Amino acid sequence: MYCVRTVTDDLYWVGANDHRLHLFENIHPIPRGVSYNAYLLMDEKTVLFDTVDWSACRQLLENMEHLLGERPLDYLVINHMEPDHGASIEEILLRWPQVSIISTEKSFMLMRQFGFHVDGHRLVEVKEGDTFSFGKHEVTFIAAPMVHWPEAMVTFDTTNGALFSADAFGTFGALDGKLFADEVDFDRDWLDDARRYLTNIVGKYGPHVQLLLKKAAGILDQIKFICPLHGPVWRKDLMYFIDKYDKWSRYEPEEKGVLIAYASMYGNTEAAAQALAAKLCEKGMSNVWVYDVSNTHVSQLISESFRLSHIVLASVTYNLEIYPVMYDYLCHMKGLNLQNRTFAIIENGSWACRSGDLIQKFVDNEMKNMTVLNERLSLASSLSDSKAAELDALADALLDSMSQA
C-alpha cells in the first residue's frame, strides 16, 4: 500500500519510516525510529531525488508506482551515496532500466565500490554550479563535500524553491504521517533528536557545514522548502533551524547552563555531583543537567555538550586512570571537534587520586579552545563536611564564568 505526501505542486515525498531499526549506523539509539526521505518530481520528465535504505525499498517502490502509473522514471538524482539513501539504487535500475543517474564523480566511484552495476546506464556527472532542466523545473547543483561524506551535494530547484539538502538539516525520528516541521511541536518533540543527529553524525565537520551555509546564504531569499533525507521538511520559519545549524557547526553553545557528567562506582562521586547541582540551583542557576556516563548513551552526552556552555566532569580514578566510560566520553568530544566550552573537574580516589590531573591534561592537550576552571574539587572516597567550602567555591566559579561569557 502506498504512503505519499505532497510537498508542493508536482513534488511528492515517497520515502518511508523505520521503527524496527534500534541503532542508527549501528551505534546511535533511535527509540523514536527514523525516516528515509526520497522525493519524486512529476514534471515533463520524472525525477527521483535519492532512494532509501534497503529495508524500506518495498515502500519506496509502491509509492513511486502509485504516482508514476504508466509513466517512466526519467532521472535519478543521488545527492548522497550513504547506504541508508543509496542502497535501493540497483532496484530502481531494475524497475526502470532507461533511467539516467545524475550525481557527482565521487558518488559514481562509491556506487561502483558498493557493487552497484551502474555503468550500463546513462550517467550524468555534475559539479558545483551546473544546472539541469526537467521541463518547468530547473535545478542547480551545489557541492557539499564532507557534509558528511566527500561525495555529497545538495540540489536546489529554482522553480519551486525546494532545497534537497542531503543529510544536512536532518534529524532522528520517524515522521509517522506528519511531513512538515510545522505539523509537530518541534521544540518539544524534535529539537533534541535534531541536535543529537547533527552533533554525532556531522559534528566533526563543522567548518564544512559552515561553508555550505555560506553558499546557501546567497539564495536564502529563494529557498521555500528544505527537504532533508531524514526528518521533517521545512516550509516555515526556516531561519529558526538554519540558526541552530549555524550555532552547532560553529561550536557555539545554545544556552548558558551546566552539564554535570559523573562516573561513579559506589555512589560517592554521584553524591558530589548531586550536591554541586543543588548548590548551583540554590544560587540561582537552575539550568543544570546531571548524567551518569555509565548508563547514558554517549550520543546523548555529546548532544548536551553541544547545547550547554559549561561541563563538569566528575570521575573516580580507576586503575590509576580516568574511569573508562568517562574517557570514552572525552574521546567522543575530541573526535567530534567540540570547542569553546568551560570545564570544571571533580576527582575522586581512595588512595591515588589521579583522574583530575589526567582529565585536565586531556582537555588541555587533546581539545581545542577549552577553558578549565582552577577550582577543582578533590575527594578521598567521599564528600565530607570539610569539603563544603570547596564545593561552594566551585559553584561560585561556574557562576562567575557564566556571568563573564
Side-chain angles (χ1 to χ4, degrees):
M1 177 65 181
Y2 65 87
C3 179
V4 303
R5 287 287 309 267
T6 301
V7 179
T8 188
D9 293 344
D10 304 331
L11 181 64
Y12 303 87
W13 177 85
V14 291
N17 294 287
D18 189 347
H19 281 286
R20 296 188 177 191
L21 185 70
H22 296 290
L23 295 174
F24 188 84
E25 296 186 341
N26 210 25
I27 186 171
H28 306 295
I30 46 171
R32 296 174 56 243
V34 69
S35 73
Y36 306 116
N37 299 342
Y39 305 91
L40 185 64
L41 179 66
M42 302 287 285
D43 198 355
E44 293 174 22
K45 300 294 185 180
T46 60
V47 190
L48 177 65
F49 293 92
D50 296 289
T51 73
V52 298
D53 187 81
W54 179 248
S55 64
C57 183
R58 179 179 176 179
Q59 185 67 68
L60 171 68
L61 296 175
E62 290 178 354
N63 294 341
M64 292 177 63
E65 287 166 355
H66 165 69
L67 290 170
L68 288 171
E70 298 302 316
R71 294 189 66 181
L73 179 66
D74 297 306
Y75 290 96
L76 170 61
V77 175
I78 296 296
N79 289 294
H80 183 28
M81 245 308 294
E82 196 170 6
D84 55 336
H85 310 297
S88 298
I89 288 174
E90 274 206 312
E91 191 64 27
I92 297 296
L93 298 180
L94 289 171
R95 299 294 181 102
W96 293 280
Q98 300 307 311
V99 69
S100 299
I101 310 174
I102 300 175
S103 201
T104 64
E105 178 186 14
K106 282 190 172 66
S107 183
F108 287 123
M109 176 195 76
L110 288 171
M111 290 178 203
R112 297 180 182 103
Q113 284 184 193
F114 278 108
F116 298 159
H117 298 93
V118 298
D119 286 321
H121 300 266
R122 182 181 176 227
L123 308 181
V124 181
E125 184 180 305
V126 294
K127 58 186 183 301
E128 175 88 24
D130 285 351
T131 62
F132 208 93
S133 175
F134 302 116
K136 291 188 306 179
H137 292 260
E138 183 169 294
V139 301
T140 185
F141 303 102
I142 303 167
M146 299 318 301
V147 185
H148 59 125
W149 277 29
E151 91 304 355
M153 69 175 183
V154 302
T155 303
F156 181 59
D157 187 330
T158 58
T159 304
N160 63 13
L163 178 69
F164 301 96
S165 62
D167 266 350
F169 303 107
T171 178
F172 297 136
L175 294 170
D176 296 341
K178 299 170 283 289
L179 177 61
F180 299 103
D182 55 276
E183 293 180 320
V184 302
D185 189 331
F186 195 86
D187 265 347
R188 185 190 68 193
D189 298 330
W190 286 84
L191 180 57
D192 287 343
D193 269 339
R195 185 190 309 105
R196 191 163 64 91
Y197 173 87
L198 181 280
T199 57
N200 286 276
I201 305 300
V202 193
K204 180 181 180 68
Y205 306 107
H208 301 277
V209 176
Q210 280 290 305
L211 180 59
L212 179 59
L213 290 175
K214 286 183 174 66
K215 292 179 182 180
I219 56 171
L220 274 181
D221 60 332
Q222 302 172 55
I223 299 174
K224 307 302 179 187
F225 302 89
I226 297 177
C227 301
L229 289 176
H230 297 291
V233 170
W234 288 80
R235 62 182 176 182
K236 297 179 180 178
D237 302 321
L238 273 59
M239 286 308 302
Y240 161 87
F241 204 35
I242 292 171
D243 285 343
K244 293 292 186 186
Y245 258 64
D246 182 43
K247 273 191 170 65
W248 296 333
S249 60
R250 285 189 289 111
Y251 308 105
E252 178 184 322
E254 278 179 73
E255 306 169 16
K256 287 186 179 180
V258 183
L259 163 62
I260 303 176
Y262 69 85
S264 186
M265 294 174 65
Y266 302 110
N268 293 300
T269 307
E270 177 185 4
Q274 293 288 352
L276 177 60
K279 183 69 69 175
L280 288 166
C281 293
E282 189 176 67
K283 292 175 178 285
M285 169 47 70
S286 58
N287 194 19
V288 177
W289 302 81
V290 181
Y291 291 96
D292 181 351
V293 297
S294 293
N295 61 31
T296 305
H297 194 270
V298 70
S299 66
Q300 180 68 26
L301 297 174
I302 290 297
S303 177
E304 292 291 80
S305 302
F306 272 75
R307 179 170 71 94
L308 298 165
S309 60
H310 288 64
I311 302 171
V312 179
L313 302 173
S315 179
V316 294
T317 301
Y318 193 83
N319 288 333
L320 299 181
E321 301 289 345
I322 303 169
Y323 197 62
V325 284
M326 179 64 79
Y327 182 73
D328 181 63
Y329 171 37
L330 285 165
C331 289
H332 273 77
M333 284 193 280
K334 173 191 173 183
L336 292 166
N337 208 24
L338 183 69
Q339 302 175 38
N340 307 317
R341 296 300 185 273
T342 297
F343 286 90
I345 295 172
I346 298 174
E347 61 177 354
N348 195 354
S350 293
W351 60 89
C353 190
R354 285 174 42 84
S355 59
D357 286 344
L358 294 172
I359 289 171
Q360 174 99 42
K361 181 180 178 182
F362 188 100
V363 174
D364 286 345
N365 296 341
E366 303 291 337
M367 301 175 76
K368 302 175 185 176
N369 303 324
M370 300 300 197
T371 300
V372 181
L373 300 177
N374 292 325
E375 289 78 2
R376 184 189 302 182
L377 177 60
S378 297
L379 311 178
S381 300
S382 62
L383 180 64
S384 63
D385 291 344
S386 64
K387 294 289 184 177
E390 293 178 38
L391 180 69
D392 201 64
L394 179 55
D396 286 339
L398 286 163
L399 293 172
D400 288 345
S401 175
M402 277 186 273
S403 68
Q404 296 167 17

